[in-house]
Amino acid sequence: MLLSTAFFALCAITLWLASWGIRMRHPEATVTELFDLLLDDRSVRLAVIVIWWWLGWHFLAGATL
């Protein structure tokens, strides 16, 4: 449990840092443009998939399994 929580936190921090970096380069970008720019990077797409998987596994599928 501790390892998966640490991995989730690492992915969340990575996404936050990536979005902060894009926001500094494109301060006039709307939220939609920010997501488009953010998801251009393959590692960010992978981090988003891992975060959604982790949330779904621990909170949505827990009662049914």
Side-chain angles (χ1 to χ4, degrees), residues 1 5-6 10 13-14 17 19 23-24 28-29 31 34 38-39 41 55 58 61-62 64:
M1 177 72 173
T5 304
L10 179 67
I13 290 169
T14 302
L17 286 173
S19 64
R23 184 51 111 180
M24 290 296 116
E28 71 285 344
V31 173
L34 181 64
L38 188 62
L39 292 176
D41 189 10
L55 287 172
H58 286 87
T64 61

Side-chain angles (χ1 to χ4, degrees), residues 4-25:
S4 65
T5 304
F7 191 64
F8 172 78
L10 179 67
C11 287
I13 290 169
T14 302
L15 285 176
W16 181 80
L17 286 173
S19 64
W20 178 73
I22 289 173
R23 184 51 111 180
M24 290 296 116
R25 283 183 271 141

Side-chain angles (χ1 to χ4, degrees), residues 2-3 20 46 49 52:
L2 181 64
L3 182 63
W20 178 73
L46 182 63
I49 290 170
W52 277 113

Side-chain angles (χ1 to χ4, degrees), residues 27-65:
E28 71 285 344
T30 64
V31 173
T32 305
E33 292 169 346
L34 181 64
F35 280 122
D36 287 341
L37 291 168
L38 188 62
L39 292 176
D40 281 343
D41 189 10
R42 184 176 183 181
S43 61
V44 171
R45 286 193 308 259
L46 182 63
V48 168
I49 290 170
V50 168
I51 287 174
W52 277 113
W53 171 81
W54 190 89
L55 287 172
W57 183 259
H58 286 87
F59 295 110
L60 302 176
T64 61
L65 295 177

